[in-house]
Amino acid sequence: MTVGTVGAVLALTDSGSPLRGPFALFFLFSAPASAIAAALRGLDPYGRVLTSVAGAVAVDMLVAQGMLAVHRWSVEGGIVAVAVISGLMALSVLMRHMRGRTTADKVV
């Protein structure tokens, strides 16, 4: 995940590094894929990987399509949008986990 974070930072700071493109692309796939994989704990590992990669591609395509539809395409905007969507998905998983944890504490 560190490589993805470096890619996002390089893209947002408009760095001239040759690693900016590959690392940013890695971020665009790994951020939503990891958030989706965290939500799919019940699947076997192969199904979880396949579903999370397909979901990451879908999130990236929907963000790109939405930005193009409103004529607001930018690399920085796409990275921020994917980061926000991935963060919200991960936050919902965390909140669901914490809610389940607190109800278990009340029963005991």
Side-chain angles (χ1 to χ4, degrees):
M1 195 62 176
T2 305
V3 173
T5 306
V6 169
V9 170
L10 286 175
L12 290 175
T13 59
D14 202 27
S15 171
S17 171
L19 297 175
R20 182 179 86 170
F23 283 6
L25 185 62
F26 184 78
F27 171 78
L28 289 173
F29 286 115
S30 67
S34 61
I36 292 170
L40 299 174
R41 291 192 172 172
L43 290 178
D44 63 304
Y46 181 70
R48 191 172 172 185
V49 167
L50 186 64
T51 306
S52 63
V53 168
V57 170
V59 167
D60 291 337
M61 292 299 163
L62 287 172
V63 166
Q65 184 178 4
M67 292 177 77
L68 287 172
V70 297
H71 304 289
R72 297 286 182 216
W73 173 254
S74 71
V75 174
E76 294 85 7
I79 289 180
V80 168
V82 168
V84 167
I85 291 169
S86 300
L88 289 175
M89 284 190 288
L91 184 64
S92 71
V93 170
L94 179 67
M95 296 306 284
R96 182 176 47 181
H97 177 69
M98 294 302 288
R99 184 179 61 214
R101 187 173 180 184
T102 57
T103 56
D105 291 341
K106 290 179 184 177
V107 171
V108 174

Coordinates of all heavy atoms in Angstrom, one line a residue:
M1 N 0.8 -1.2 0.0 CA 0.0 0.0 0.0 C 0.9 1.3 0.0 O 0.4 2.3 -0.4 CB -0.9 0.0 1.2 CG -2.1 0.9 1.1 SD -3.1 0.6 -0.3 CE -4.3 1.8 0.0
T2 N 2.1 1.1 0.5 CA 3.0 2.3 0.5 C 3.3 2.8 -0.9 O 3.4 4.0 -1.1 CB 4.3 1.9 1.2 OG1 4.0 1.4 2.5 CG2 5.2 3.1 1.3
V3 N 3.5 1.8 -1.8 CA 3.7 2.2 -3.2 C 2.6 3.0 -3.8 O 2.8 4.1 -4.5 CB 4.0 1.0 -4.1 CG1 4.1 1.3 -5.6 CG2 5.2 0.3 -3.6
G4 N 1.4 2.6 -3.5 CA 0.2 3.4 -3.9 C 0.1 4.7 -3.3 O -0.2 5.7 -4.0
T5 N 0.4 4.9 -2.0 CA 0.4 6.2 -1.4 C 1.4 7.1 -2.0 O 1.2 8.3 -2.2 CB 0.6 6.0 0.1 OG1 -0.3 5.1 0.6 CG2 0.5 7.3 0.8
V6 N 2.6 6.6 -2.3 CA 3.7 7.4 -2.9 C 3.2 7.8 -4.3 O 3.4 8.9 -4.7 CB 5.0 6.6 -3.0 CG1 6.0 7.3 -3.9 CG2 5.6 6.3 -1.6
G7 N 2.5 6.9 -5.0 CA 2.0 7.3 -6.3 C 1.0 8.4 -6.3 O 1.0 9.3 -7.1
A8 N 0.1 8.3 -5.3 CA -0.9 9.3 -5.1 C -0.3 10.7 -4.8 O -0.6 11.7 -5.3 CB -1.9 9.0 -4.1
V9 N 0.7 10.6 -3.9 CA 1.4 11.9 -3.5 C 2.2 12.5 -4.7 O 2.2 13.7 -5.0 CB 2.3 11.6 -2.3 CG1 3.3 12.8 -2.1 CG2 1.5 11.3 -1.1
L10 N 2.9 11.6 -5.5 CA 3.6 12.1 -6.6 C 2.7 12.7 -7.7 O 3.0 13.7 -8.3 CB 4.4 10.9 -7.3 CG 5.6 10.5 -6.5 CD1 6.2 9.2 -7.2 CD2 6.7 11.6 -6.4
A11 N 1.5 12.1 -7.9 CA 0.5 12.6 -8.8 C -0.1 13.9 -8.4 O -0.3 14.8 -9.2 CB -0.5 11.6 -9.1
L12 N -0.4 14.0 -7.1 CA -1.0 15.2 -6.6 C -0.1 16.4 -6.5 O -0.5 17.5 -6.6 CB -1.6 14.9 -5.2 CG -2.8 14.0 -5.2 CD1 -3.3 13.7 -3.7 CD2 -4.0 14.6 -6.0
T13 N 1.2 16.1 -6.3 CA 2.2 17.2 -6.3 C 2.7 17.5 -7.7 O 3.6 18.4 -7.8 CB 3.4 16.8 -5.4 OG1 4.0 15.6 -5.8 CG2 2.9 16.7 -3.9
D14 N 2.3 16.8 -8.7 CA 2.7 17.0 -10.1 C 4.2 16.9 -10.3 O 4.8 17.7 -10.9 CB 2.2 18.4 -10.6 CG 2.1 18.5 -12.1 OD1 1.9 17.4 -12.7 OD2 2.2 19.6 -12.7
S15 N 4.7 15.8 -9.7 CA 6.1 15.5 -9.7 C 6.5 15.1 -11.1 O 5.8 14.5 -11.9 CB 6.5 14.4 -8.7 OG 7.8 14.0 -8.9
G16 N 7.8 15.4 -11.5 CA 8.3 15.0 -12.8 C 9.0 13.6 -12.7 O 9.7 13.2 -13.7
S17 N 8.8 12.9 -11.7 CA 9.4 11.6 -11.5 C 8.9 10.6 -12.5 O 7.7 10.5 -12.8 CB 9.2 11.0 -10.1 OG 9.6 9.7 -10.0
P18 N 9.8 9.7 -13.1 CA 9.3 8.7 -14.0 C 8.5 7.6 -13.3 O 7.8 6.8 -14.0 CB 10.6 8.1 -14.6 CG 11.6 8.4 -13.6 CD 11.2 9.7 -13.0
L19 N 8.5 7.6 -12.0 CA 7.7 6.6 -11.3 C 6.3 7.0 -11.0 O 5.5 6.3 -10.4 CB 8.4 6.2 -9.9 CG 9.8 5.6 -10.1 CD1 10.4 5.4 -8.7 CD2 9.7 4.3 -10.8
R20 N 6.0 8.3 -11.3 CA 4.7 8.9 -11.0 C 3.6 8.1 -11.7 O 2.6 7.7 -11.0 CB 4.6 10.3 -11.4 CG 3.3 11.0 -11.1 CD 3.3 12.4 -11.5 NE 2.9 12.4 -12.9 CZ 2.6 13.5 -13.6 NH1 2.7 14.7 -13.0 NH2 2.2 13.5 -14.8
G21 N 3.7 7.8 -12.9 CA 2.7 7.1 -13.7 C 2.4 5.7 -13.1 O 1.3 5.3 -12.8
P22 N 3.4 4.8 -13.1 CA 3.2 3.4 -12.6 C 2.7 3.4 -11.1 O 1.8 2.6 -10.8 CB 4.5 2.7 -12.7 CG 5.3 3.5 -13.6 CD 4.8 4.9 -13.6
F23 N 3.3 4.2 -10.3 CA 2.8 4.2 -8.9 C 1.4 4.8 -8.7 O 0.6 4.3 -7.9 CB 3.8 5.0 -8.0 CG 5.1 4.3 -7.7 CD1 5.4 3.1 -8.3 CD2 6.0 4.9 -6.8 CE1 6.6 2.5 -8.0 CE2 7.2 4.3 -6.6 CZ 7.5 3.1 -7.1
A24 N 1.0 5.8 -9.5 CA -0.3 6.3 -9.4 C -1.3 5.3 -10.0 O -2.4 5.1 -9.4 CB -0.4 7.6 -10.2
L25 N -1.0 4.6 -11.0 CA -1.8 3.5 -11.5 C -2.0 2.4 -10.5 O -3.1 1.9 -10.3 CB -1.2 2.9 -12.8 CG -2.1 1.9 -13.6 CD1 -3.4 2.5 -14.0 CD2 -1.3 1.4 -14.8
F26 N -0.9 2.1 -9.8 CA -1.0 1.1 -8.7 C -2.0 1.5 -7.6 O -2.7 0.8 -7.1 CB 0.4 0.8 -8.1 CG 0.4 -0.3 -7.1 CD1 0.3 -1.6 -7.5 CD2 0.4 0.0 -5.8 CE1 0.3 -2.6 -6.5 CE2 0.4 -0.9 -4.8 CZ 0.4 -2.3 -5.2
F27 N -1.9 2.8 -7.3 CA -2.8 3.4 -6.3 C -4.3 3.3 -6.8 O -5.2 2.9 -6.0 CB -2.5 4.8 -6.0 CG -3.5 5.5 -5.1 CD1 -3.6 5.3 -3.8 CD2 -4.5 6.3 -5.7 CE1 -4.5 5.9 -3.0 CE2 -5.5 6.9 -4.9 CZ -5.5 6.7 -3.6
L28 N -4.5 3.6 -8.0 CA -5.9 3.6 -8.6 C -6.5 2.2 -8.5 O -7.7 2.1 -8.5 CB -5.9 4.1 -10.0 CG -5.7 5.7 -10.1 CD1 -5.6 6.1 -11.5 CD2 -6.8 6.4 -9.4
F29 N -5.7 1.1 -8.6 CA -6.2 -0.2 -8.5 C -6.2 -0.8 -7.1 O -7.1 -1.5 -6.6 CB -5.5 -1.2 -9.4 CG -5.8 -1.0 -10.9 CD1 -4.9 -0.5 -11.8 CD2 -7.1 -1.2 -11.3 CE1 -5.3 -0.3 -13.1 CE2 -7.5 -1.0 -12.6 CZ -6.6 -0.5 -13.5
S30 N -5.1 -0.4 -6.3 CA -5.0 -1.1 -5.0 C -5.9 -0.4 -3.9 O -6.4 -1.2 -3.1 CB -3.5 -1.0 -4.5 OG -3.2 0.4 -4.3
A31 N -6.2 0.8 -4.0 CA -7.0 1.5 -3.0 C -8.4 0.9 -3.0 O -8.9 0.4 -1.9 CB -7.0 3.0 -3.1
P32 N -9.1 0.9 -4.1 CA -10.5 0.4 -4.0 C -10.5 -1.1 -3.9 O -11.4 -1.7 -3.2 CB -11.1 0.8 -5.4 CG -10.1 1.3 -6.2 CD -8.9 1.6 -5.4
A33 N -9.5 -1.8 -4.4 CA -9.4 -3.3 -4.3 C -9.2 -3.7 -2.9 O -9.9 -4.6 -2.4 CB -8.3 -3.9 -5.2
S34 N -8.4 -3.0 -2.1 CA -8.2 -3.4 -0.7 C -9.4 -3.0 0.1 O -9.8 -3.8 1.1 CB -7.0 -2.7 -0.1 OG -7.1 -1.3 -0.2
A35 N -10.1 -1.9 -0.2 CA -11.3 -1.6 0.5 C -12.4 -2.6 0.3 O -13.2 -3.0 1.2 CB -11.8 -0.2 0.2
I36 N -12.6 -3.1 -1.0 CA -13.6 -4.0 -1.3 C -13.2 -5.4 -0.7 O -14.1 -6.1 -0.2 CB -13.7 -4.1 -2.9 CG1 -14.4 -2.8 -3.4 CG2 -14.6 -5.3 -3.3 CD1 -14.4 -2.7 -4.9
A37 N -11.9 -5.8 -0.8 CA -11.5 -7.0 -0.2 C -11.8 -7.1 1.3 O -12.1 -8.1 1.8 CB -10.0 -7.3 -0.5
A38 N -11.7 -6.0 2.0 CA -11.9 -5.9 3.4 C -13.4 -6.2 3.7 O -13.8 -6.7 4.7 CB -11.5 -4.6 4.0
A39 N -14.3 -5.7 2.8 CA -15.7 -5.9 3.0 C -16.2 -7.3 2.6 O -17.2 -7.7 3.1 CB -16.5 -4.9 2.1
L40 N -15.4 -8.1 1.9 CA -15.7 -9.4 1.5 C -15.0 -10.5 2.3 O -14.4 -11.4 1.7 CB -15.4 -9.6 0.0 CG -16.1 -8.6 -0.9 CD1 -15.6 -8.8 -2.3 CD2 -17.6 -8.8 -0.9
R41 N -15.1 -10.5 3.6 CA -14.4 -11.5 4.4 C -15.0 -12.9 4.3 O -14.3 -13.8 4.6 CB -14.4 -11.0 5.8 CG -13.6 -9.8 6.1 CD -13.4 -9.5 7.5 NE -12.4 -8.5 7.6 CZ -12.1 -7.9 8.7 NH1 -12.7 -8.3 9.8 NH2 -11.2 -6.9 8.8
G42 N -16.2 -13.0 3.8 CA -16.8 -14.3 3.8 C -16.5 -15.2 2.6 O -16.7 -16.4 2.6
L43 N -15.8 -14.6 1.6 CA -15.5 -15.3 0.4 C -14.2 -16.1 0.5 O -13.3 -15.7 1.4 CB -15.4 -14.4 -0.8 CG -16.7 -13.7 -1.3 CD1 -16.3 -12.8 -2.5 CD2 -17.6 -14.8 -1.8
D44 N -14.0 -17.1 -0.3 CA -12.7 -17.8 -0.3 C -11.7 -16.9 -0.9 O -12.1 -15.9 -1.6 CB -12.8 -19.1 -1.1 CG -13.2 -18.9 -2.5 OD1 -14.2 -18.3 -2.8 OD2 -12.4 -19.4 -3.4
P45 N -10.4 -17.1 -0.7 CA -9.4 -16.1 -1.2 C -9.4 -15.9 -2.7 O -9.3 -14.7 -3.1 CB -8.1 -16.8 -0.8 CG -8.4 -17.7 0.4 CD -9.8 -18.1 0.1
Y46 N -9.6 -16.9 -3.5 CA -9.6 -16.6 -4.9 C -10.8 -15.8 -5.4 O -10.6 -14.8 -6.1 CB -9.6 -18.0 -5.7 CG -9.6 -17.8 -7.2 CD1 -8.5 -17.4 -7.9 CD2 -10.7 -18.1 -7.9 CE1 -8.4 -17.2 -9.2 CE2 -10.7 -17.9 -9.3 CZ -9.6 -17.5 -9.9 OH -9.6 -17.3 -11.3
G47 N -11.9 -16.1 -4.8 CA -13.1 -15.3 -5.2 C -13.0 -13.9 -4.6 O -13.5 -12.9 -5.3
R48 N -12.4 -13.7 -3.5 CA -12.2 -12.4 -2.9 C -11.3 -11.5 -3.8 O -11.5 -10.3 -4.0 CB -11.6 -12.6 -1.5 CG -11.6 -11.4 -0.6 CD -11.2 -11.8 0.7 NE -11.0 -10.7 1.6 CZ -10.5 -10.8 2.8 NH1 -10.2 -11.9 3.3 NH2 -10.3 -9.7 3.5
V49 N -10.2 -12.1 -4.2 CA -9.2 -11.4 -5.1 C -9.9 -11.0 -6.4 O -9.8 -9.9 -6.9 CB -8.0 -12.2 -5.3 CG1 -7.1 -11.6 -6.4 CG2 -7.1 -12.3 -4.0
L50 N -10.6 -12.0 -7.0 CA -11.2 -11.7 -8.3 C -12.3 -10.6 -8.2 O -12.4 -9.7 -9.0 CB -11.8 -13.0 -8.8 CG -12.4 -13.0 -10.2 CD1 -11.3 -12.7 -11.2 CD2 -13.1 -14.3 -10.5
T51 N -13.1 -10.7 -7.1 CA -14.2 -9.7 -7.0 C -13.6 -8.3 -6.6 O -14.1 -7.3 -7.1 CB -15.1 -10.2 -5.8 OG1 -15.6 -11.5 -6.1 CG2 -16.3 -9.3 -5.7
S52 N -12.6 -8.3 -5.8 CA -12.0 -7.0 -5.4 C -11.3 -6.3 -6.6 O -11.4 -5.1 -6.8 CB -11.1 -7.1 -4.2 OG -10.0 -7.9 -4.6
V53 N -10.7 -7.1 -7.5 CA -10.0 -6.5 -8.6 C -11.1 -6.0 -9.6 O -11.0 -4.9 -10.2 CB -9.1 -7.5 -9.3 CG1 -8.6 -7.0 -10.7 CG2 -7.8 -7.7 -8.4
A54 N -12.1 -6.8 -9.8 CA -13.2 -6.4 -10.7 C -13.9 -5.1 -10.1 O -14.3 -4.2 -10.9 CB -14.2 -7.5 -10.9
G55 N -14.1 -5.1 -8.8 CA -14.7 -3.9 -8.2 C -13.8 -2.7 -8.3 O -14.4 -1.6 -8.5
A56 N -12.5 -2.9 -8.2 CA -11.6 -1.7 -8.4 C -11.7 -1.2 -9.8 O -11.7 0.1 -10.0 CB -10.2 -2.2 -8.0
V57 N -11.7 -2.0 -10.8 CA -11.8 -1.6 -12.2 C -13.2 -0.8 -12.3 O -13.2 0.2 -13.0 CB -11.7 -2.8 -13.1 CG1 -12.1 -2.3 -14.6 CG2 -10.3 -3.3 -13.1
A58 N -14.2 -1.4 -11.7 CA -15.5 -0.7 -11.9 C -15.5 0.7 -11.2 O -16.1 1.6 -11.8 CB -16.6 -1.6 -11.3
V59 N -14.9 0.8 -10.0 CA -14.9 2.1 -9.4 C -14.1 3.1 -10.2 O -14.5 4.2 -10.4 CB -14.2 1.9 -8.0 CG1 -13.9 3.3 -7.4 CG2 -15.2 1.2 -7.0
D60 N -12.9 2.6 -10.7 CA -12.1 3.5 -11.5 C -12.9 4.0 -12.8 O -12.8 5.2 -13.2 CB -10.8 2.9 -11.9 CG -9.9 2.7 -10.8 OD1 -10.0 3.4 -9.8 OD2 -9.0 1.8 -10.8
M61 N -13.5 3.1 -13.4 CA -14.3 3.4 -14.7 C -15.5 4.3 -14.4 O -15.8 5.2 -15.1 CB -14.8 2.1 -15.4 CG -13.7 1.3 -15.9 SD -12.8 2.3 -17.2 CE -11.3 1.3 -17.3
L62 N -16.2 4.1 -13.2 CA -17.3 5.0 -12.9 C -16.8 6.4 -12.5 O -17.5 7.4 -12.9 CB -18.1 4.4 -11.7 CG -18.9 3.1 -12.1 CD1 -19.5 2.5 -10.9 CD2 -20.0 3.5 -13.1
V63 N -15.7 6.5 -11.9 CA -15.1 7.8 -11.6 C -14.8 8.5 -12.9 O -15.1 9.7 -13.0 CB -13.9 7.7 -10.6 CG1 -13.1 9.0 -10.5 CG2 -14.4 7.3 -9.2
A64 N -14.1 7.8 -13.7 CA -13.7 8.4 -15.0 C -14.9 8.8 -15.8 O -14.9 9.9 -16.4 CB -12.8 7.5 -15.8
Q65 N -15.9 8.0 -15.9 CA -17.1 8.3 -16.7 C -17.8 9.5 -16.1 O -18.3 10.3 -16.8 CB -18.0 7.0 -16.7 CG -19.2 7.2 -17.6 CD -20.1 6.0 -17.6 OE1 -19.8 5.0 -17.0 NE2 -21.1 6.0 -18.4
G66 N -17.9 9.5 -14.8 CA -18.6 10.6 -14.1 C -17.9 11.9 -14.3 O -18.5 13.0 -14.6
M67 N -16.6 11.9 -14.3 CA -15.8 13.1 -14.5 C -15.9 13.6 -15.9 O -16.0 14.8 -16.2 CB -14.4 12.9 -14.1 CG -14.2 12.8 -12.6 SD -12.5 12.4 -12.2 CE -11.8 14.1 -12.3
L68 N -15.9 12.7 -16.9 CA -16.0 13.0 -18.3 C -17.4 13.5 -18.6 O -17.6 14.4 -19.4 CB -15.7 11.8 -19.2 CG -14.2 11.5 -19.2 CD1 -14.0 10.2 -20.0 CD2 -13.4 12.6 -19.9
A69 N -18.4 13.0 -17.9 CA -19.8 13.4 -18.2 C -20.1 14.8 -17.7 O -20.9 15.5 -18.4 CB -20.8 12.5 -17.5
V70 N -19.4 15.3 -16.7 CA -19.6 16.6 -16.2 C -18.5 17.6 -16.7 O -18.4 18.7 -16.2 CB -19.7 16.7 -14.7 CG1 -21.0 16.0 -14.2 CG2 -18.5 16.2 -14.0
H71 N -17.7 17.1 -17.6 CA -16.6 17.9 -18.2 C -15.6 18.4 -17.2 O -15.2 19.6 -17.3 CB -17.1 19.0 -19.1 CG -18.1 18.5 -20.1 ND1 -17.6 17.8 -21.2 CD2 -19.4 18.6 -20.3 CE1 -18.7 17.5 -22.0 NE2 -19.8 18.0 -21.4
R72 N -15.3 17.6 -16.2 CA -14.4 18.0 -15.1 C -13.2 17.1 -15.0 O -12.8 16.8 -13.9 CB -15.1 18.2 -13.8 CG -16.2 19.2 -13.8 CD -15.5 20.6 -13.7 NE -16.6 21.5 -13.6 CZ -16.5 22.7 -14.2 NH1 -15.5 23.0 -14.9 NH2 -17.5 23.5 -14.1
W73 N -12.7 16.5 -16.1 CA -11.6 15.5 -16.0 C -10.3 16.2 -15.6 O -9.9 17.2 -16.2 CB -11.5 14.8 -17.4 CG -10.3 14.0 -17.4 CD1 -9.1 14.2 -18.0 CD2 -10.1 12.7 -16.7 NE1 -8.2 13.2 -17.7 CE2 -8.8 12.2 -16.9 CE3 -11.0 12.0 -15.9 CZ2 -8.4 11.0 -16.4 CZ3 -10.5 10.8 -15.4 CH2 -9.3 10.3 -15.6
S74 N -9.7 15.6 -14.6 CA -8.3 15.9 -14.3 C -7.7 14.7 -13.5 O -8.4 13.9 -12.9 CB -8.3 17.1 -13.3 OG -8.8 16.8 -12.1
V75 N -6.4 14.6 -13.6 CA -5.7 13.5 -13.0 C -5.8 13.6 -11.5 O -6.2 12.6 -10.8 CB -4.2 13.4 -13.4 CG1 -3.5 12.4 -12.6 CG2 -4.1 13.1 -14.9
E76 N -5.6 14.8 -11.0 CA -5.7 15.0 -9.5 C -7.1 14.8 -9.0 O -7.2 14.2 -7.9 CB -5.2 16.5 -9.2 CG -3.8 16.7 -9.5 CD -3.5 17.2 -10.9 OE1 -4.5 17.3 -11.7 OE2 -2.4 17.3 -11.3
G77 N -8.1 15.2 -9.7 CA -9.5 15.0 -9.3 C -9.8 13.5 -9.3 O -10.5 13.1 -8.4
G78 N -9.3 12.8 -10.3 CA -9.6 11.3 -10.3 C -9.0 10.6 -9.1 O -9.6 9.7 -8.5
I79 N -7.7 11.0 -8.8 CA -7.1 10.3 -7.7 C -7.8 10.7 -6.4 O -8.0 9.8 -5.5 CB -5.6 10.7 -7.7 CG1 -4.9 10.0 -8.8 CG2 -4.9 10.4 -6.3 CD1 -3.4 10.3 -9.0
V80 N -8.2 11.9 -6.2 CA -8.9 12.3 -5.0 C -10.2 11.6 -4.9 O -10.6 11.1 -3.8 CB -9.0 13.9 -4.9 CG1 -10.0 14.3 -3.9 CG2 -7.7 14.5 -4.8
A81 N -10.9 11.5 -6.0 CA -12.2 10.9 -6.0 C -12.1 9.4 -5.7 O -12.9 8.9 -4.9 CB -12.9 11.0 -7.4
V82 N -11.1 8.7 -6.2 CA -10.9 7.3 -5.9 C -10.5 7.1 -4.5 O -10.9 6.2 -3.8 CB -9.9 6.7 -6.9 CG1 -9.5 5.3 -6.4 CG2 -10.5 6.6 -8.3
A83 N -9.7 8.0 -4.0 CA -9.2 8.0 -2.6 C -10.4 8.2 -1.6 O -10.5 7.4 -0.6 CB -8.1 9.0 -2.3
V84 N -11.3 9.1 -2.0 CA -12.4 9.4 -1.1 C -13.4 8.2 -1.1 O -13.9 7.7 -0.1 CB -13.2 10.7 -1.5 CG1 -14.5 10.8 -0.9 CG2 -12.3 11.9 -1.2
I85 N -13.7 7.6 -2.3 CA -14.6 6.5 -2.4 C -14.0 5.3 -1.7 O -14.7 4.6 -0.9 CB -14.9 6.2 -3.9 CG1 -15.8 7.3 -4.5 CG2 -15.6 4.8 -4.0 CD1 -15.9 7.2 -6.0
S86 N -12.7 5.0 -1.8 CA -12.1 3.9 -1.2 C -12.0 4.1 0.3 O -12.3 3.2 1.1 CB -10.6 3.7 -1.7 OG -10.6 3.5 -3.0
G87 N -11.8 5.3 0.8 CA -11.8 5.6 2.2 C -13.2 5.4 2.8 O -13.3 4.9 3.9
L88 N -14.2 5.9 2.1 CA -15.6 5.7 2.6 C -15.9 4.2 2.7 O -16.6 3.8 3.7 CB -16.6 6.4 1.8 CG -16.5 7.9 1.9 CD1 -17.5 8.6 0.9 CD2 -16.9 8.4 3.3
M89 N -15.5 3.4 1.7 CA -15.8 2.0 1.8 C -15.0 1.3 2.9 O -15.6 0.5 3.7 CB -15.3 1.3 0.5 CG -16.3 1.5 -0.7 SD -15.9 0.5 -2.1 CE -14.4 1.2 -2.7
A90 N -13.8 1.7 3.1 CA -13.0 1.2 4.3 C -13.6 1.6 5.6 O -13.6 0.9 6.6 CB -11.5 1.6 4.1
L91 N -14.0 2.9 5.6 CA -14.6 3.4 6.9 C -15.9 2.6 7.2 O -16.2 2.4 8.4 CB -14.9 4.9 6.7 CG -15.4 5.6 8.0 CD1 -14.4 5.5 9.1 CD2 -15.8 7.0 7.6
S92 N -16.7 2.3 6.2 CA -18.0 1.6 6.4 C -17.7 0.2 7.0 O -18.4 -0.3 7.9 CB -18.8 1.5 5.2 OG -18.3 0.7 4.2
V93 N -16.6 -0.4 6.5 CA -16.2 -1.8 7.0 C -15.8 -1.6 8.4 O -16.1 -2.4 9.3 CB -15.1 -2.4 6.1 CG1 -14.5 -3.6 6.8 CG2 -15.7 -2.7 4.7
L94 N -15.0 -0.6 8.7 CA -14.5 -0.4 10.1 C -15.7 -0.1 11.0 O -15.7 -0.6 12.2 CB -13.5 0.8 10.1 CG -12.9 1.1 11.5 CD1 -12.1 0.0 12.0 CD2 -12.2 2.4 11.4
M95 N -16.6 0.7 10.6 CA -17.8 1.0 11.5 C -18.6 -0.2 11.7 O -19.1 -0.4 12.8 CB -18.6 2.2 10.8 CG -17.8 3.5 10.8 SD -17.2 4.0 12.3 CE -18.6 4.6 13.1
R96 N -18.8 -1.0 10.7 CA -19.6 -2.3 10.8 C -18.9 -3.2 11.8 O -19.5 -3.8 12.7 CB -19.8 -2.9 9.5 CG -20.6 -4.2 9.6 CD -20.9 -4.8 8.2 NE -19.6 -4.8 7.5 CZ -19.5 -5.3 6.3 NH1 -20.6 -5.7 5.6 NH2 -18.3 -5.3 5.6
H97 N -17.5 -3.3 11.7 CA -16.8 -4.1 12.6 C -16.9 -3.6 14.1 O -17.0 -4.3 15.0 CB -15.3 -4.1 12.2 CG -14.4 -4.9 13.1 ND1 -14.5 -6.3 13.2 CD2 -13.4 -4.5 13.9 CE1 -13.6 -6.7 14.1 NE2 -13.0 -5.6 14.6
M98 N -16.8 -2.2 14.2 CA -16.8 -1.7 15.6 C -18.2 -1.8 16.2 O -18.4 -2.0 17.4 CB -16.4 -0.2 15.5 CG -15.0 0.0 15.2 SD -13.8 -0.8 16.3 CE -14.0 0.3 17.7
R99 N -19.3 -1.7 15.3 CA -20.6 -1.8 15.8 C -20.9 -3.3 16.3 O -21.5 -3.5 17.3 CB -21.6 -1.5 14.7 CG -23.1 -1.6 15.2 CD -24.1 -1.2 14.1 NE -23.9 -2.1 13.0 CZ -24.1 -1.8 11.8 NH1 -24.4 -0.6 11.4 NH2 -24.0 -2.7 10.8
G100 N -20.4 -4.2 15.5 CA -20.5 -5.6 16.0 C -19.7 -5.9 17.2 O -20.1 -6.7 18.0
R101 N -18.6 -5.2 17.4 CA -17.8 -5.4 18.6 C -18.5 -4.8 19.8 O -18.4 -5.4 20.9 CB -16.4 -4.7 18.4 CG -15.5 -5.0 19.4 CD -14.1 -4.4 19.0 NE -13.1 -4.6 20.0 CZ -11.9 -4.2 20.0 NH1 -11.5 -3.5 18.9 NH2 -11.1 -4.4 20.9
T102 N -19.1 -3.7 19.7 CA -19.8 -3.1 20.8 C -21.0 -3.8 21.2 O -21.3 -3.9 22.4 CB -20.1 -1.6 20.6 OG1 -20.9 -1.5 19.4 CG2 -18.9 -0.8 20.4
T103 N -21.7 -4.4 20.3 CA -22.9 -5.2 20.7 C -22.5 -6.5 21.4 O -23.1 -7.0 22.3 CB -23.8 -5.6 19.5 OG1 -23.0 -6.2 18.5 CG2 -24.4 -4.3 18.9
A104 N -21.3 -7.1 21.0 CA -20.8 -8.3 21.7 C -20.4 -7.9 23.1 O -20.6 -8.7 24.0 CB -19.7 -8.9 20.9
D105 N -19.9 -6.7 23.3 CA -19.5 -6.3 24.6 C -20.7 -6.1 25.5 O -20.6 -6.4 26.7 CB -18.7 -5.0 24.6 CG -17.3 -5.2 23.9 OD1 -16.8 -6.3 23.9 OD2 -16.7 -4.2 23.5
K106 N -21.8 -5.6 25.0 CA -23.0 -5.4 25.8 C -23.6 -6.7 26.2 O -24.2 -6.8 27.3 CB -24.0 -4.6 25.0 CG -23.6 -3.2 24.7 CD -24.7 -2.5 23.9 CE -24.2 -1.1 23.6 NZ -25.2 -0.4 22.8
V107 N -23.5 -7.8 25.4 CA -24.1 -9.0 25.7 C -23.4 -9.7 26.8 O -23.9 -10.3 27.7 CB -24.1 -10.0 24.5 CG1 -24.6 -11.4 24.8 CG2 -25.0 -9.4 23.4
V108 N -22.1 -9.6 26.9 CA -21.2 -10.2 27.9 C -21.3 -9.4 29.1 O -21.8 -9.4 30.1 CB -19.7 -10.3 27.4 CG1 -18.9 -10.8 28.5 CG2 -19.6 -11.1 26.2

